[in-house]
Amino acid sequence: MKFGVIVFPGSNCDHDAWYAASHNFGQEARFIWHDDHSLGHVDVVILPGGFSYGDYLRCGAIARFSPVMAAVRKFAADGGLVAGICNGFQILVESGLLPGALMRNAGLKFVCAPVRIAAATTNSPFTNACEIGRPLTVPVAHGEGYYYADERTLDELEAEDRVAFRYIDNPNGSLRNIAGVLNAGRNVMGMMPHPERATEALVGSTGGRAVFESLIGALTLAR
Amino acid sequence: MSAPTSELITPELIALHQLSESEYGKILNILGREPSYPELGIFSVMWSEHCSYKSSRLHLKKLPTTGTRVVQGPGENAGIIDIGGGYAIAFKIESHNHPSFIEPFQGAATGVGGILRDIFTMGARPIAVMDSLRFGPGSDPQCGARNRRILEGVVSGISHYGNCFGVPTVGGETIFEPCYNGNPLVNVFALGVFKKDEIFYAKASGIGNPVIYVGAKTGRDGIHGASMASAEFTEESKQKRPNVQMGDPFLEKLLLEACLEAMRTGAVLGIQDMGAAGLTCSTCEMGSRGGLGIEIELDLVPQRETGMTPYEIMLSESQERMLLVAEKGREEEVFRVFHKWGLDAAAIGAVTGDGLLRVRHHGDVVVEIPNRELADEAPLYDRPHAQPLRLAPMEAPEFASADLNGDLRTILSSGDVCSKRWIWEQYDYMVRTNTIAGPGGDAAIVRIKETGTSVAMSLDGNGRYCALSPREGARLAVAECCRNLSTVGATPAAATNNLNFGNPERPEIMAQLVEAIEGIAEACAFFDTPITGGNVSLYNETLGEGIFPTPVMGIVGLLETRAPLTMNFKAAGRVVILLGGVGACDTTRFGGTQYAKAVLNSMWGLPPALDMEYERRVHRAMREIVPLAESAHDLSDGGLAVAIAESSFGGAGFGAAIELNSQMRPEHLLFHEGPSRILISTSDPEGVECIARAHSVEAPRIGVTIESTIRVSNNGVELLSIDIASAEQAWQGGLGFPASWPV
């Protein structure tokens, strides 16, 4: 599998995503610069965590205009797999690739903590190796992770089985405990928790491995 | 200090620049003429206490600074030690006390920014930050509201800067005392890693080589920050808010990546960050270290505002800026990297052979000062020092506990001992996926992916102990850091220190500083942890009231990468061993404890007694015991009772039933803070005892782990019986801020 990790100015989990894919899962992984107009040949694109462009206007609001995002949009439209983690999720939402918005945490503070989440569907390339409802410990580290959408959108997401993950311990007030969502095509997923930080017991937990295993499984099947 | 407009050098102007008559005389000697106005400003900042260490330098020489691992000792941007495998680490601690009082958020944020630049200017990628914080109590009748606001601001500032930059904040300490009401302490430690043969120094070289300015544009912020940090606080200090710099962690992140990338081109020869005293300090220090001159034209300096004077440009402390010397003809390679990251980069001058700092403005020479005299020949004072200031009595008040369970709860919920989760959960302590042991433990551990080894680090300082005896308190801080490291299995390797004191012009304060430095020197020499750098922050006084003498130690240790040994009991039925023994304590040595502070609201006597020889044997034994232990926790604030309680917290729900046979009075037995002790649980007590014996260290079996309660008895009399849940509740809620999650 070829993983592409986008590097925006201010991305700071780019290396962690790259390390998880390459070292902990033995996959080919490379960085893609925000100024590039093409993604090159990749099977899955990760928009990593961080503070793209300083997140000064609104998280992800500037990154959506970066040149590489046109290529990401096209890649997604062609069915390519795109995963946004934390700031990457915020960028996907700002780009209109995923519905809803991410607001200031209900507790008004940045929260860094391992939390329990559970997959809400296995019908996606990001969750097919998960078990619905089984707790996975995955860290969050964000100040703006409160998932918000209007009632109709939330109902629609649930009706279409597009909630990827829910919090068991909700760290930010997200509506209906939503931690991650899918697009209608089920090939774009965003989540606030950091699966790439939870792929080695030595540095905390292994709850995030399921996301990588799902992706690798889905891509192997597709070949 | 308001920026004067007059350029006439008057006695008032000299005094305003905090230069004494004799210092001004020295300037006249060096220049052979009257200084220009910008020159006066330059001397003022370079010779400020903050930049020149003029009161402390003489005594800092007593510190041990060499060792087999030391690659770079004091005098550079950070100290460096060899960690093996071709890699090295750079680390240092620095204070941002004064700005954090005036503007807590930006003061703390730029404190983080400044120390991070010190690390990556040497070519190292920062991989860990820790903070040592001191505030006035939130419950203070007069200052409580302000103290809480300062605490919230400082924590937000650290969180904002560190999280955005992408460096994990892996630990630290937070202490509350009324003496910090008007003078909080914000000491930030940072550590970075690099290849041993890819170290960059802040040294100019090669006559004719270009001097390049990179990073943020220069504005009017932070002018006189260094001088502000070198004076006591008065009511007018609040008006100094414009002297506090504004931080931009995003820009710093770009600067980090661009600097490391530019260094890899091979075109960069020397580099220094613009911290205190900005462009002034970076130019003259780089010149001085290289024995060369530097000439710059201010018109070429990227500026954020129009109409800035040479004085303002040279003294600005705008953040996120670096100065570098590149190889002539390879400027474009450097520019290309910085432009890729969207940063300004401009050649503003060149290295010269005449040893002078020459500054031009619109082509006219406005500053011409010999670098060496400016940077290295600042005044040096042997300030008078008498008996250290001591306000506490030697005699203890009468006391007898009516409720030991209640006393324990009181200590657990006190500001110093309680859980600091509310603080450290605001810090991203995991980014870069190297954090093996994060905040809340005895020492933090960060793995080095490149070498397969790990680095442990601990910050410690105890102002109370130092107020009772600066020398003993300083030695205890070194011992505790080394004990913390040994408790997680790391071998202490090297140290950095931050000396926070009051006004050195008062002999009784100067004596505190001298005694503390000598105490650190003794202990660091003994524990083989040379000092590789640090910071001195003096004039920590507000309206004539000084802080406790507060030396803060930061010590790093090395260990193999493996699953960490943590403090929490893991199962029931394990043997609990008190490595080092129950120790001894008399009433005099009880006066600096948390019991005296939280329960008796009093302070007297002397700090706990330290036998360094025994302490070192405990460390050596502990490091060997690590593979046999299921949990280990060093005894410090709150003594044995608090160590047992903290080992019982964390969700597993295992406490301990402890039976002691001591002649000590119950308060002493449970709460004395004698050093050289570590609480261990193990399923191999014989193995632990065998190692302890080999090191001639006591290791009494004092009990077993049990479910859900903590029970302690002495000679058959029950002293403590408390359920874990209620104890933990007291401990969790002690800081007084509501939990921000789960929602």
Side-chain angles (χ1 to χ4, degrees), chain B residues 433-706:
Chain B
T433 59
N434 294 320
T435 308
I436 291 178
D442 286 321
I445 306 175
V446 173
R447 71 164 164 192
I448 309 290
K449 286 185 178 118
E450 293 84 350
T451 57
T453 58
S454 294
V455 175
M457 55 206 99
S458 170
L459 292 191
D460 193 70
N462 192 318
R464 264 174 108 70
Y465 292 173
C466 291
L468 297 175
S469 166
R471 182 182 300 265
E472 291 186 41
R475 294 195 318 181
L476 283 161
V478 174
E480 176 162 357
C481 271
C482 294
R483 189 162 67 246
N484 284 334
L485 295 172
S486 300
T487 303
V488 300
T491 307
T496 177
N497 62 354
N498 208 133
L499 304 170
N500 307 279
F501 289 79
N503 181 350
E505 293 161 40
R506 291 169 56 190
E508 68 280 18
I509 301 291
M510 190 63 209
Q512 291 178 333
L513 176 63
V514 173
E515 293 264 319
I517 290 174
E518 289 175 2
I520 292 170
E522 285 166 37
C524 281
F526 185 85
F527 292 107
D528 199 14
T529 52
I531 298 277
T532 61
N535 177 249
V536 181
S537 172
L538 303 178
Y539 298 96
N540 287 290
E541 299 198 359
T542 298
L543 301 173
E545 198 185 325
I547 58 164
F548 284 165
T550 316
V552 173
M553 298 303 306
I555 304 191
V556 301
L558 306 176
L559 69 164
E560 289 304 309
T561 295
R562 60 174 170 243
L565 175 61
T566 57
M567 66 167 71
N568 324 91
F569 296 139
K570 309 287 185 302
R574 301 296 190 255
V575 174
V576 179
I577 290 178
L578 184 53
L579 186 70
V582 291
C585 181
D586 61 23
T587 307
T588 305
R589 296 279 179 184
F590 196 63
T593 60
Q594 286 296 328
Y595 190 92
K597 177 177 175 178
V599 177
L600 305 175
N601 192 25
S602 184
M603 181 163 109
W604 71 86
L606 291 169
L610 170 67
D611 174 350
M612 292 204 289
E613 192 66 53
Y614 189 69
E615 177 82 36
R616 184 168 60 189
R617 293 209 300 274
V618 170
H619 300 176
R620 286 177 176 158
M622 181 66 228
R623 293 197 295 270
E624 280 181 42
I625 288 167
V626 166
L628 308 183
E630 264 187 16
S631 75
H633 185 18
D634 127 82
L635 268 64
S636 60
D637 287 2
L640 177 62
V642 166
I644 295 168
E646 288 178 343
S647 299
S648 308
F649 298 159
F654 298 106
I658 305 291
E659 288 180 30
L660 303 165
N661 300 291
S662 166
Q663 296 310 308
M664 263 188 274
R665 61 182 287 185
E667 297 90 338
H668 288 183
L669 181 60
L670 293 174
F671 300 108
H672 89 82
E673 295 177 6
S676 318
R677 299 183 300 161
I678 300 166
L679 188 73
I680 292 167
S681 70
T682 178
S683 51
D684 182 4
E686 291 81 12
V688 171
E689 284 162 341
C690 179
I691 293 170
R693 242 190 331 271
H695 289 275
S696 308
V697 166
E698 291 178 50
R701 297 187 192 199
I702 61 168
V704 291
T705 56
I706 56 172

Side-chain angles (χ1 to χ4, degrees), chain A:
Chain A
M1 303 310 123
K2 289 199 179 75
F3 281 72
V5 180
I6 311 261
V7 181
F8 297 100
S11 291
N12 61 30
C13 302
D14 45 349
H15 188 268
D16 299 351
W18 172 88
Y19 186 85
S22 60
H23 283 70
N24 295 341
F25 291 93
Q27 304 298 308
E28 208 178 315
R30 63 181 186 81
F31 294 111
I32 302 170
W33 186 237
H34 72 114
D35 251 350
D36 290 350
H37 291 271
S38 143
L39 302 178
H41 177 64
V42 290
D43 300 305
V44 54
V45 171
I46 295 181
L47 278 68
F51 292 71
S52 54
Y53 302 90
D55 276 346
Y56 282 129
L57 178 59
R58 199 172 58 238
C59 299
I62 307 176
R64 65 172 280 212
F65 294 109
S66 80
V68 78
M69 284 309 292
V72 170
R73 270 191 208 93
K74 179 162 188 315
F75 181 74
D78 294 345
L81 300 183
V82 179
I85 300 167
C86 197
N87 190 226
F89 184 14
Q90 294 164 337
I91 296 168
L92 291 175
V93 164
E94 287 287 342
S95 306
L97 286 166
L98 291 172
L102 291 148
M103 308 199 305
R104 189 92 191 272
N105 292 350
L108 302 180
K109 300 283 182 202
F110 189 99
V111 175
C112 177
V115 299
R116 289 176 307 155
I117 63 171
T121 179
T122 53
N123 178 20
S124 88
F126 310 93
T127 56
N128 64 57
C130 302
E131 201 179 301
I132 291 174
R134 189 169 144 251
L136 300 168
T137 299
V138 179
V140 293
H142 58 245
E144 277 97 9
Y146 180 159
Y147 186 75
Y148 177 87
D150 57 46
E151 286 292 309
R152 211 180 46 150
T153 306
L154 293 172
D155 290 344
E156 200 176 287
L157 282 173
E158 287 180 346
E160 294 173 7
D161 193 25
R162 285 164 56 195
V163 176
F165 292 99
R166 286 187 207 271
Y167 297 109
I168 297 171
D169 323 296
N170 188 339
N172 51 35
S174 289
L175 296 181
R176 303 191 193 181
N177 297 319
I178 290 174
V181 298
L182 294 156
N183 69 341
R186 312 188 84 77
N187 63 320
V188 178
M189 191 269 300
M191 64 190 292
M192 288 311 294
H194 286 271
E196 82 284 11
R197 294 188 184 186
T199 54
E200 269 179 283
L202 183 67
V203 289
S205 58
T206 53
R209 291 186 67 89
V211 173
F212 286 87
E213 283 159 4
S214 298
L215 277 169
I216 292 163
L219 289 165
T220 310
L221 273 181
R223 287 203 161 173

Side-chain angles (χ1 to χ4, degrees), chain B residues 86 92 177 184 190 227 231 260 332 391 401 423 447 478 521 563 619 632 638 679 718 727:
Chain B
K92 196 166 99 167
E177 290 282 357
S227 325
L260 296 186
E332 277 308 316
L391 299 171
S401 175
I423 293 175
R447 71 164 164 192
V478 174
H619 300 176
L679 188 73
E718 185 177 274

Side-chain angles (χ1 to χ4, degrees), chain B residues 124-137:
Chain B
R125 179 178 285 278
I127 56 165
V129 160
M130 302 223 282
D131 312 282
S132 176
L133 309 177
R134 301 287 185 285
F135 303 104

